[in-house]
Amino acid sequence: MSMDARDILRWSASRSKAEQRELRALREEPLDRQRAIERALDLIALTARYRGWPPPVDPIDEAEDMQAYLTWDRLRERWPG
C-alpha cells in the first residue's frame, strides 16, 4: 500500500472537516469543565467494557500512520536545506 499526494490531501481534508464539525458543535453547545470530564470518563468506561483497557491497536490505523510517517520522512530527506 503506497500513498501519493492525492491520498495525503484527502486525509488532510478529512481531518480538517472533522475538526470543523467538532468546533461548530462546541460553539453551538459548549461544555463546562465538569460535564466534559464526565463525558470523557464515560467514554473510557464504555471502551473498557466493550474493548478492554487500554483499547487494542487498530492495525489499519497503525499501518496508515506508519505510511504517513514514512512518506513525511522521505519528503524531509529530499527537502533542500
Side-chain angles (χ1 to χ4, degrees), residues 1-2 4 6 15 31 37 41 45 48 54 58-59 62 64 68 74-75 78-79 81:
M1 178 175 150
S2 65
D4 62 17
R6 289 182 309 247
R15 298 286 173 134
L31 289 177
I37 291 171
L41 293 174
D58 180 354
E62 191 172 42
E64 288 175 348
R74 282 195 313 272
L75 289 170
R78 296 176 186 165
W79 190 262

Side-chain angles (χ1 to χ4, degrees), residues 7-18:
D7 295 327
I8 294 171
L9 290 172
R10 261 194 314 274
W11 174 82
S12 177
S14 171
R15 298 286 173 134
S16 292
K17 286 179 186 177

Side-chain angles (χ1 to χ4, degrees), residues 6-37:
R6 289 182 309 247
D7 295 327
I8 294 171
L9 290 172
R10 261 194 314 274
W11 174 82
S12 177
S14 171
R15 298 286 173 134
S16 292
K17 286 179 186 177
E19 181 181 11
Q20 290 169 8
R21 283 192 307 268
E22 289 174 4
L23 291 174
R24 187 173 49 248
L26 284 174
R27 279 193 305 272
E28 292 171 1
E29 192 177 328
L31 289 177
D32 66 358
R33 188 177 303 169
Q34 181 63 35
R35 184 67 184 129
I37 291 171

Side-chain angles (χ1 to χ4, degrees), residues 51-70:
R51 304 291 304 248
W53 194 262
V57 175
D58 180 354
I60 294 172
D61 280 346
E62 191 172 42
E64 288 175 348
D65 289 347
M66 181 54 71
Q67 188 63 48
Y69 172 80
L70 294 172

